[in-house]
Amino acid sequence: MGHGFSTLLYKEVLRFWKVGSQTVAAPVLTSLLYLLIFSHVLEAHVKVHGVSYTAFLVPGLVMMSVLQNAFANSSSSLIQSKVTGNIVFVLLPPISYLEFFLAYVLASVVRGLVVGAGVLLATFWFAPLTFVEPVWILVFALMGGTILGSLGVIAGIWAEKFDQLAAFQNFLIMPLTFLSGVFYSINSLPPFWQQVSHWNPVFYMIDGFRHGFFGVSDASPWLSLSVVGGCLVLLTLFTLNLLKRGYKLRA
Amino acid sequence: MSAAIRIQQVSKCFGSTKALDKVDLEVEPGEFFGLLGPNGAGKTTLISALAGLVRADSGSLSVMGHDVQSDYRAARRHLGVVPQELVFDPFFTVRESLKIQSGYFGIGDNDRWIDEILENLGLTSKANANMRMLSGGMKRRVLVAQALVHRPPVIVLDEPTAGVDVELRQTLWAFIRRLNEAGHTIVLTTHYLEEAESLCGRIAMLQSGRIVALDTTARLLRRFSTHTLRLRSRDEMPADLVRGAAQSGGWWSMPFDAFDEVEPLLARIRAAGCRIDDLEIGKPDLEEVFIRVMQGQAEASVN
């Protein structure tokens, strides 16, 4: 990887960092609000996997933040650059499609992890958390961030206007993340919805991530690893193919 | 030595529109080259194909001998493009934009050259201003600066003076001229034909995706445009004198090739007893060439 890659990565990180109140502080606050409201309503009534509801909720919120912000970073950066036209600044230099991909996705992962860490710090005080198998935490955070970062690249390249990107976000990313077991264990769902949830790859990201905290989860972390790993490989190949062909970027 | 730019049989369609139709063009190193044509003629598409922003359907393009597809890294390192649209990244200051652009081209420490560009474009005082805060003219200067961070031997400017004030035009052209004198190849598109006439050694005219004229500026002017003697007289002009001349609004326009034709002409007018109320001599200009070439093409395509 050359200097072009590291500069593009640096620029992408600097971009979100410069508007940190919007890209980091705001999602942390949103997660904190979710926690306050849901734990207020449910703490006394629900226990999941033998842990308190608030403790159960925290890893879910952290991972949801990682995923949503990873997606938001690459997709919003690309759509803004395309709409304003400054995308030419990265298309004119000798940057390969692989460098382009890695820089945008890695910056997305960084944003996801920064926000995730922020949510963890902000919510940590509300519930006793354990870190039983921290390797899983790291593995799923990285893989989930990469997948959503890739999806963000796809959406950012595909969308021509902000409302198209918003549709991608509202009708695909939001349902996938909200219906993935962030707020509940899917074992508490009716059988039909349990089945549906098993087709949602985000469920495995959240579940595997949560396994790292408590050592228990709805699915085996190895199953989650293979599903998430499979998605990662497929999406990476798909995105790289789009970029190689210059889809919507190099007409 | 390979050509600065070599374009061979390049075609590009957007849907059913032929943006480029088998374009052949070669620009030698060190040239100051003008690419002219009406809106939609394909100038920007040609530049985009050269820059790798658009992929040609067929044909090949190279910059300093490097194919823009198979050897794109070298081709792009040798090419600096000033885009037509006034684009900028609102997140960064002028200096940050230039440092980042340098990094994209693999240049880590570029401060001295960046300072020099800023100085030459009158941007030094704006170096730490955010891009959003700059006026249109200043943003245009930054676009030029961004195209130069990697010292490209070939510089393409796509309508760099559209909507730009006189001062910036002069600063810009003085700087671009210096770069050209230092050996950089310059390719320019503009709608200001007097700019092209005074700057460009050679000119290509594009219409509907095809090159319809390609020659040195001097030869184009000679071929398609002449000197004109224009005069106004309250008296009846002798018929043999005004044969071949055009009349409009009391003015007679008489084309001539060499200046020593003017004196005998005036002498004959005087001998015929005509008093001259007003008189001027028009030089050949590119605007006339442009109009003739474009009309000629329009007629040719009708026939």
Side-chain angles (χ1 to χ4, degrees), chain A residues 12-219:
Chain A
E12 277 300 292
V13 172
L14 191 61
R15 186 198 71 91
F16 83 74
W17 193 246
K18 280 202 169 198
V19 283
S21 64
Q22 181 197 332
T23 56
V24 178
V28 170
L29 180 66
T30 308
S31 292
L32 192 57
L33 292 173
Y34 278 134
L35 185 84
L36 292 174
I37 293 163
F38 281 89
S39 65
H40 168 75
V41 176
L42 295 173
E43 176 67 18
H45 313 286
V46 182
K47 249 179 149 40
V48 191
H49 294 312
V51 298
S52 79
Y53 179 73
T54 310
F56 171 84
L57 184 56
V58 166
L61 285 174
V62 170
M63 189 58 167
M64 188 172 80
S65 307
V66 172
L67 301 177
Q68 288 184 344
N69 284 280
F71 176 83
N73 203 63
S74 48
S75 62
S76 63
S77 175
L78 281 166
I79 190 85
Q80 280 176 23
S81 288
K82 278 171 50 178
V83 169
T84 60
N86 66 41
I87 189 89
V88 293
F89 298 147
V90 291
L91 295 179
L92 290 172
I95 296 173
S96 70
Y97 71 92
L98 185 64
E99 290 175 303
F100 184 98
F101 170 79
L102 287 174
Y104 275 95
V105 170
L106 258 171
S108 296
V109 172
V110 171
R111 158 117 168 247
L113 293 183
V114 168
V115 176
V119 173
L120 195 60
L121 270 177
T123 54
F124 191 64
W125 320 100
F126 295 89
L129 267 192
T130 54
F131 301 90
V132 176
E133 294 171 44
V135 176
W136 287 124
I137 299 178
L138 202 63
V139 165
F140 281 100
L142 287 174
M143 290 186 16
T146 306
I147 288 174
L148 272 288
S150 290
L151 271 173
V153 171
I154 295 170
I157 291 174
W158 165 78
E160 277 152 29
K161 296 177 290 183
F162 286 104
D163 55 323
Q164 289 175 325
L165 182 62
F168 197 101
Q169 189 151 19
N170 292 329
F171 295 105
L172 187 69
I173 303 299
M174 288 294 272
L176 282 181
T177 48
F178 270 82
L179 301 178
S180 61
V182 171
F183 299 98
Y184 50 81
S185 161
I186 64 159
N187 286 330
S188 64
L189 294 174
F192 172 76
W193 289 107
Q194 276 192 39
Q195 279 304 311
V196 171
S197 297
H198 277 110
W199 286 98
N200 179 359
V202 182
F203 157 72
Y204 296 96
M205 298 177 202
I206 306 266
D207 201 55
F209 183 74
R210 199 177 261 137
H211 185 92
F213 287 84
F214 307 122
V216 284
S217 47
D218 290 341

Side-chain angles (χ1 to χ4, degrees), chain A residues 1-2 4-6 8-9 94-106 153 236-237 239-245 250, chain B residues 72-73 76:
Chain A
M1 286 298 114
F5 157 75
S6 54
L8 185 53
L9 173 61
I95 296 173
S96 70
Y97 71 92
L98 185 64
E99 290 175 303
F100 184 98
F101 170 79
L102 287 174
Y104 275 95
V105 170
L106 258 171
V153 171
T236 302
L237 292 177
T239 316
L240 282 174
N241 183 261
L242 283 188
L243 291 170
K244 188 181 179 186
R245 288 191 288 123
R250 301 183 193 273
Chain B
Y72 72 93
R73 280 184 189 268
R76 290 185 203 168

Side-chain angles (χ1 to χ4, degrees), chain A residues 3-5 7-8 10-12 14-16 18-19 80-81 84-86 88-97 99 243-246 249-251, chain B residues 12 14 51-55 72-74 76-77 81 83 86-93 96 99-108 130 143 146:
Chain A
H3 200 86
F5 157 75
T7 308
L8 185 53
Y10 165 78
K11 174 240 161 191
E12 277 300 292
L14 191 61
R15 186 198 71 91
F16 83 74
K18 280 202 169 198
V19 283
Q80 280 176 23
S81 288
T84 60
N86 66 41
V88 293
F89 298 147
V90 291
L91 295 179
L92 290 172
I95 296 173
S96 70
Y97 71 92
E99 290 175 303
L243 291 170
K244 188 181 179 186
R245 288 191 288 123
L249 288 178
R250 301 183 193 273
Chain B
K12 176 72 188 177
F14 293 111
L53 299 175
V54 156
R55 289 181 185 179
Y72 72 93
R73 280 184 189 268
R76 290 185 203 168
R77 262 196 290 273
V81 177
L86 200 56
V87 295
F88 63 97
D89 197 325
F91 289 95
F92 304 114
T93 67
E96 280 171 340
K99 285 179 93 124
I100 288 170
Q101 207 62 26
S102 306
Y104 291 161
F105 282 92
I107 308 163
N130 187 285
L143 269 185
Q146 277 177 285

